[in-house]
Structure formats: structure tokens, C-alpha cells
Amino acid sequence: MNDDHNRLRLLRAGIDTYQQPVVYMHRDCPVCRSEGFSALTRVLMRCGSRELVATLNVVTDDWLALDAAALSEAAWSALAPGSEAWATFEHPEPAASAPALRAKVFGQRLQEPDFLALMQDTLNNRLADIELAAFVTACAGERLDRAETIALTRAMVAVGQRLDWGAGPVLDKHCVGGLPGNRTTPIVVAIIAAAGYRIPKTSSRAITSPAGTADTMEVMAPVALDTASMRRVVEREGGCIVWGGAVRLSPADDVLIRVERPLDFDSDGQLVASVLSKKIAAGSSHVLIDLPVGPTAKVRSTAAAERLETLLRATAEAAGLSLGLMRTDGRQPVGYGIGPALEARDVLAVLRGTGDAPADLRERAVVLAAALLDLVPGTPSYPGRQRAEDLLRSGAALSKFLSICEAQGGFREPQAAPHVRSIAATRGGSILDIDNRRLAKIAKLAGAPASPSAGIDCRLRLGDRVRVGEPLFEVHAQTPGELEYALSYASTQTEVFRVGEEP
Amino acid sequence: MNDDHNRLRLLRAGIDTYQQPVVYMHRDCPVCRSEGFSALTRVLMRCGSRELVATLNVVTDDWLALDAAALSEAAWSALAPGSEAWATFEHPEPAASAPALRAKVFGQRLQEPDFLALMQDTLNNRLADIELAAFVTACAGERLDRAETIALTRAMVAVGQRLDWGAGPVLDKHCVGGLPGNRTTPIVVAIIAAAGYRIPKTSSRAITSPAGTADTMEVMAPVALDTASMRRVVEREGGCIVWGGAVRLSPADDVLIRVERPLDFDSDGQLVASVLSKKIAAGSSHVLIDLPVGPTAKVRSTAAAERLETLLRATAEAAGLSLGLMRTDGRQPVGYGIGPALEARDVLAVLRGTGDAPADLRERAVVLAAALLDLVPGTPSYPGRQRAEDLLRSGAALSKFLSICEAQGGFREPQAAPHVRSIAATRGGSILDIDNRRLAKIAKLAGAPASPSAGIDCRLRLGDRVRVGEPLFEVHAQTPGELEYALSYASTQTEVFRVGEEP
């Protein structure tokens, strides 16, 4: 074929389409005409030694020249063209995993090579968003069995890098999300590292919540470390709390999240594969999973917790992981703050042992750290609980935390928001229920996590009594506009706190 | 809330994103900042009395001003803003059908109100492409049962217009696709209308094939008629052959096709709902379905045909439709031409009764017209087969076809392609197999259907003998580039025709 027919020079479109690579071409350009491309066609681009499959959006007016193709931000960074670069364009062969995807959609069980092909194609952008959505849907409900969950987990690990820390235990903890303010990770990591163990913790940014652990940690220290920097921190301090996105453990899972987030289908099999593939890739040997259970938490019932635990255990066993599982109270927020800086303030108060430290956050962190310490074989006759308490009380955990922050690039104090307003109770009585989801939504409307100091400060707990006009919680915001926006929503949500008398 | 925070002026982006509405906003614009919008957020826009939910793509450089939002072609035509128009932007409430979608994904059976909510939201762009993909996937395989298929069909009809032709039978025919060149519809419509019956036929353009009936018909007459024009043609001539896209019967189905096309999941339930909802909405009372069966046709086996027929019968019965089903040979192309103009040439040859008319196309059209005539109650003791033959031989069908073309806007002769090349057999023997799918792909690479005269001309049939060097088929193209492109692919596909000796 004549090269002139399918070459275009590359421009940067300056359009963010999230992770899906998009290429813009004029409808009258020679490539669209000769290849028969139209809107949403999947297009294979080659530029130097790199290649990329992107989705076509067709330009219908003259902002794009006929000899050029413009790339979305995701396509631009994946193809990384030099200046004056050209690319060639053609129809891609069907993705190698297309038969496996079709088989799963039609209800067949898949084997490990099928999942491997699917994860490889997911990682290489060979599957479009609608195909990823089909895969996620085909696995939802009970449609991913135990053997398939194990195979999917292995496939996720296989397509990414796997860290190796040499001999000896490598600890980790994970919380199956859904509980605002439940920021135990920085405290647990500090205690475990102070105890002399390695705990190379990677955390996510918020997906649908007002703050992820990485967002909270970033208020206090840099978290966007690459693998080499992360290794340096862990080798020096034993532990780290970094953002997983730059380390790219189980990177295919990160791609799947771009459709799982908007679809919001909770599937046990995919949740297990997502969580455990990251732990296996991180080189962990002993992992504690915190499962908050409550009607507005992610795990809503004891039965749901049991199903999830069975699958977690089977998959961990297949991977040779020592797994600890701990169900915790998921009925209400933990700590006072919801939002990156407010949660960081609570974390520091616990580590510093100040009088206003939230007791529930402290207790949960100690219980989790104790369970993790007790999970490691050969621990001396010094119960985990006592050891965790000692390390926290003595200031060893605080000192370790500050050292980790320094190693990650330097500690900084969380900043308070300039705009704060209280929401008052409209009736008196006991706090009977707290709706975690609506509370999280108010914090997000106030600007969290993009505005780090934004969020909610709430000191009431189930069973506490309030009188009409007394504050239920405070909304914190960085701008008056964001404050108004959150208050306007909050004013319509009288059921965030259900106040009344016990029946 | 202050209006200034969420108002932007509207521009046309000049970007075709197929049917999915996309809105482009600068990442630093006041709306993105105050509402916390980011790439792929679903955004509710209001402009005057119209509203639309679109997907956000975030602009990261200065081609878009901070006080403006640009709309993709689909968003622009849906919102239809006047000049100097402004819109307000906010987070939409979750789609009303979100619980039904989630229930189906998790394997529950849905009721008619659920499907109604889903089709309403599909039609109103309240569901994003990944949600439509999830719905299609959740219904694939055997996951849509008989009652659900009936309910989905009814829901598709309910959200669109339904034509009413008054008393008396209204006939229709449909072919469950997959067979190149099988262009019986114009001939059947001409015979049925010449017999004095009403047959208001709407057809699709090509979705994945080298030509749809609408593409072929458009070579001979205008087909993009609106409902009023279609009604005028049918009232005058008894029949029409128009493009369904402008008439918008079962419009929610047209939206679903935007994900079904790239996903290419054939689901019996959705196929039945798609086909029959269009017939019910068209006001048809007697419908004949042609099911070509063959290893490379859409229906690949007798068992698959039986499953599909059972579901078609049950759904037609629930809707009070008289249904005829006819399985036909789907092992090889029908007629000589594949591509709009080449197929139109064959159609005219049959209607004109010229010596080079393809006998197989003529026979299929007569058999289908006969079965449709026999389906109508009270037909006199004049067998459909004889009647169809008489109408074709006498020239009554040709005359009716030309009148229909005139009523649709004027008849025109198909044009021949300027660039034609033969592909020769590389071995001699009998034609043992023909791969319909690869043959269709070569026709598409030659430019069909966008280039109407492009395609394939093929006069060999199963069992015919060829010698090395004799032509297997011709490739027709409008430009030398397209010809080269198709030939280059064809040269790698030695198995399009399997030639050898019968075992």
C-alpha cells in the first residue's frame, strides 16, 4: 500500500478524555477516505516504534487540517510523538482477546490464558470502553467463580511488574472502602514500620469518595513516587505510604477502574482480583483486610461479608499469601474529619497523642496494627495489641511517620479551610442513623478531594444526643462558591443524620 | 445558587462522536471548578426549554475560552441552540432506570415498567455508552427470557411513534441479515404493492455490511423521507422503500445499535425486540421473516434458527402480529453484485426480466412474495406463487417499482464503477465453500457503501468449476486507491472461495 495514503502529521488536541485514547481526524482527510474510517472506528496508529489503538472522533469543520491528526491527552502520552512527528493509520486486527470476551459474555467459564489475553489487551488499550464495560458486566453478580477469580488475579499480576523485597515477611493492609474518614493506614504503617517490619504501602486516590488515602497523605508529604523512589524509602524506613498510580502495580486493574467507577457495579470476583493482585504485585507476604460492614458501607450485610471473605481466602491461598480478615463497624464515619486535610489532622492527632485525637480512629488503627503484627509468624510472646499501644504511646510511631514523610520528600502540616459553616439539628433526640453516602456527597460538593482543606468535620456518633439548633457537623470549603454549593445540597438532605428517640 | 457560576455560551465543536453527545469545557472554566466536573462526568445542560445529558471531555489548552462550552455534532443537534445561546450546567440526577439496569446486570428478571424506563432513558441519552454496553451484555446469551423479550419489544414500541394505516392488512418483510447481495426487498415490495396490498417498508443503511437495503435503494431513488412523505408515497402507491432513520420507528433501538454494532454480540432476545418493535411501530399486521441459515451467515445452524423462531413466534403472538417464517439457504451470496449500485443493477435486471438477471435473486424474491401473499387471509384461490410470477412477468411489478421511485422523488439508473479488476483462481476445481464475511470485507475495503458503485461482482456459485487463472470475482472501486486497498487484502485471503474436489 502507498504510504502517502495513510500518513498524517500529529498534533496535540488539548482534550482530556480520561484514560481512553482518542484520535481526531478530518472527515475529508485522505486516511478517512481511503480506509473508510468513521466516528468511533478503532484505529491503529504507528509512530516510530510505538503503536496505539485509539477511538476515532471525526472533525467536521476546518479547525483541523486535512494532513493532520490530533491526539487526546491519553493518546498523546501513550504514543509520545516527537516534534514534527507523523503516524501511519490503519484498521487494527481484532483484539486477541475478542473470542474470550465473547465467550464470557455468553456465559462460558474462562481459563487463565483467556484472562491473560484480556488483561494484556486491557492494558494495551486494545479494548474500547464499551468492551471493558461488557467484560465488567459479564463478570458481575456471581458470574466469576472461584477458579476464575484466581485466574483473573494471576492474569492481573502477570501483565504488570512485581516487586521483590528479598527474604523475610512483607506486610500490608487494605480496607474494602466505603467508610468516610476511616484513615487508619498512615497510623498502621507507622506502627508496623516502627516495630521493624517492612510495609511498602501503595494507596489509591479517591475514586468516588471525598478522599483516598493517597489524597490524605499528600497533604502531609509527596506521594507520587516512582518504583525506584518507593524502594529507596522502604529500604531506609521500612515503610511508605505512596500513590499506587505512579508505581503501576496491577496496571490492567487501573484501566478497568475507568469503567467500573462510572458503572459502579460491585462484583465480588473483580473486587478480590483487584485488591489481591495489587498486594501480590507489591511483593507482600502477610496481608490484613479490613471489612467495614454497615447498611451504607460498601459491604452491607454479614452474608455479603461472608461471601467476600470466602473468595478472598481462596484466592490468597492460591497465591501463597497469609491473609488476615477483620470485620469492623461500618455504620458511621471514623474520626472527625472527612476530606484530605481534615483526615490528616486526625491522623496526626492520634500519632501525637493530643487530647483532641478521635478515640475511634485511634482504637481502629491499634486493633488493625495488632492483628497484622499477630499475623507474622515468629512474633515473640509480646501480644500485638500491647506492642502497637507501646509504639504509639512512646512516640516511636510518630517519629517513624515523620521519618517516612521526610524520606518521601518532606513533611508538611495540613492547612485549615478559610470558609466554615455549621449545620444545625432541626429536631432534638438521639442520633439513630448516619448516612455515610450522603455525608460523603456533601464533602465532595464542598470541593474534596480536589480542594484539600475542604470537607466535613463531625464529632457526633450514633447514640449521642442533640438539641434543636445545636450543630450536627461543619462544612469546610476553600471558596465561598463551593461552600454555598455544599450547603445548598445539605439543606435538602434532612436524613443525613436521623435524629429521634430509640424505639 | 448563583446563575453566573453555571452558565456558559455554546459553540459548535465540529466534532462527530457518532450518536453520543459530548460537551467540551475548559478545565479552568467556572463550571468545571464549581461543580467539580472532570473528564467523562455526565453533565446536564439546559438551554431554553431543552435539556440534554452529555459526556464531558475536558479541554486542557486554550482553543476553548473559559466562558464557553463546545458541543459535538450529536449534542448540537439534540440541544439545537440558537445563535448567541447560553446553557446552564449541573450534575444530573441518576437516570431513573439505573436500578433496573443494575438489577439486570445482577441477573434479575425485569418487568415491563423496568424496560420502559430503560428505553426512555436510552432514547433521551440519559445512559452513557458504557451503560448501554452493560445493558446489551446483561441481556446477551440466554439472559433475556420470553416474557422479557415481549416486554422489551413493547417498551421499544411505546417510546416511539406508531403508524396507523386504518382498517385492512398491512404487509411487511424482513431479512435477518448476514448474506451479501440478498437484496430481495425492492422486488418483493414491488410485487406486493402491484398486487394491491399496502407494504410501508422501512430499511436500514449498512451497519457492518457493504450495503443495506436503504443504501441500495438510494442508488435508484431518494430514501431519506420523513413520516409525512412516507405516508404520502404509501397512500399513492401502496408501498415504499425508505430509510428507517428519518422515520424513527422504535428509535430507542436505533440508539442501542450504536453499541451493538461495535460489540457485535448477537443476542436472540434483542434481535427479536429490534426487528418486531420496528414492524409493530410501522403498523404492520402481516410480517414475513426471511432467515438465511449457513455457516458464515448470521444464523449459523438449524438449532440456532429454531431458538430464534420460537422467540419470534411468541413475541409476534403477544403483539397480535401474523407472522410467517422462512428459512433460506445462507451458504453463499445472492445475485451477482455486492455493494449498492451492483445490487441495484441486479434488482432492476430481475424486475425488467432481462436475460442476465440473476436467477437465484429472482427465485428468492418470488418465493418470499408468494409466502407473504399467502399469509394474508381471504386471498382468492389464486396461489401466491402464481400471482407473484404473473405480476413479475407482466411488468406490473416493474411499473409499480418505478412509480414508487417517482413518488419518493424520482428514479435514477445505477452507475458503473470506473475501476474494475478481476481476481483469478490460484487453483482449479469445484467451488466447495464461499466465505460471505470475507467477501463482504473486500467489498467494504473497495469503498462500499460510502462509494455507491464500489463492491464485488461474482457470478460463481457452490459446485461451479473453475480452472487456474480464470476469474473468481471482480472488484469495483471509485478510486484507484480504494481498488488497491481491496486488492491488497484480497490477495492475502486465499480461502474466500475454497476450490478443490468434492471428497
Side-chain angles (χ1 to χ4, degrees), chain B residues 157-353:
Chain B
V157 172
V159 300
Q161 64 169 331
R162 187 165 174 173
L163 304 182
D164 182 354
W165 301 96
V170 177
L171 280 58
D172 211 339
K173 62 86 65 179
H174 182 84
C175 176
V176 174
L179 205 50
N182 191 16
R183 206 54 63 207
T184 54
T185 294
I187 307 168
V188 172
V189 168
I191 293 173
I192 299 297
Y197 291 106
R198 285 175 300 188
I199 181 161
K201 182 81 187 88
T202 63
S203 295
S204 55
R205 295 192 189 277
I207 296 175
T208 57
S209 71
T213 294
D215 300 308
T216 298
M217 188 65 194
E218 198 166 35
V219 172
M220 300 180 279
V223 295
L225 276 62
D226 62 15
T227 312
S229 307
M230 172 186 170
R231 182 175 285 283
R232 194 179 37 71
V233 173
V234 174
E235 280 169 359
R236 192 169 111 187
E237 300 297 339
C240 69
I241 304 125
V242 302
W243 175 49
V247 182
R248 303 200 77 213
L249 301 172
S250 191
D253 181 55
D254 293 339
V255 176
L256 282 176
I257 284 173
R258 86 178 177 214
V259 300
E260 289 170 346
R261 179 183 62 160
L263 285 176
D264 196 22
F265 298 154
D266 310 323
S267 145
D268 280 0
Q270 275 178 323
L271 177 62
V272 167
S274 170
V275 169
L276 293 187
S277 67
K278 285 208 176 335
K279 301 305 166 202
I280 298 164
S284 306
S285 60
H286 295 76
V287 176
L288 182 74
I289 311 266
D290 174 11
L291 290 152
V293 182
T296 57
K298 183 151 193 150
V299 181
R300 301 197 186 196
S301 67
T302 308
E306 272 161 16
R307 279 199 306 275
L308 190 55
E309 286 168 356
T310 304
L311 203 52
L312 280 164
R313 272 201 206 90
T315 309
E317 190 184 329
L321 272 188
S322 287
L323 188 74
L325 293 166
M326 181 167 288
R327 281 186 218 168
T328 54
D329 180 359
R331 293 174 303 150
Q332 57 185 335
V334 179
Y336 301 142
I338 301 171
L342 289 161
E343 295 177 19
R345 178 203 62 188
D346 289 350
V347 164
L348 288 169
V350 169
L351 286 168
R352 285 166 174 160

Side-chain angles (χ1 to χ4, degrees), chain A residues 81-150:
Chain A
S83 62
E84 308 284 311
W86 292 69
T88 60
F89 297 84
E90 59 192 280
H91 290 274
E93 287 300 302
S97 61
L101 174 58
R102 167 172 287 269
K104 189 70 205 156
V105 167
F106 285 93
Q108 291 171 44
R109 293 187 64 251
L110 298 187
Q111 306 297 321
E112 200 164 325
D114 301 321
F115 286 113
L116 201 56
L118 281 161
M119 290 305 100
Q120 197 71 61
D121 282 342
T122 297
L123 184 60
N124 295 338
N125 277 305
R126 287 303 312 268
L127 298 176
D129 279 4
I130 56 168
E131 291 167 314
L132 297 179
F135 177 65
V136 167
T137 302
C139 296
E142 311 279 309
R143 286 200 283 277
L144 208 58
D145 70 16
R146 186 182 297 205
E148 286 179 295
T149 302
I150 292 170

Side-chain angles (χ1 to χ4, degrees), chain B residues 98-181:
Chain B
L101 174 58
R102 169 173 286 270
K104 189 69 207 159
V105 167
F106 285 93
Q108 291 171 45
R109 293 188 62 252
L110 298 187
Q111 306 298 322
E112 200 164 325
D114 302 319
F115 285 112
L116 201 57
L118 281 160
M119 290 305 100
Q120 198 72 60
D121 282 342
T122 297
L123 184 60
N124 296 337
N125 277 305
R126 288 302 314 269
L127 298 176
D129 279 5
I130 56 169
E131 291 167 315
L132 297 179
F135 177 64
V136 167
T137 302
C139 295
E142 312 278 309
R143 287 201 282 277
L144 208 58
D145 70 17
R146 187 182 296 207
E148 287 179 295
T149 302
I150 292 170
L152 175 59
T153 307
R154 285 190 176 134
M156 282 182 173
V157 172
V159 300
Q161 64 169 331
R162 187 165 174 173
L163 304 182
D164 182 354
W165 301 96
V170 177
L171 280 58
D172 211 339
K173 62 86 65 179
H174 182 84
C175 176
V176 174
L179 205 50

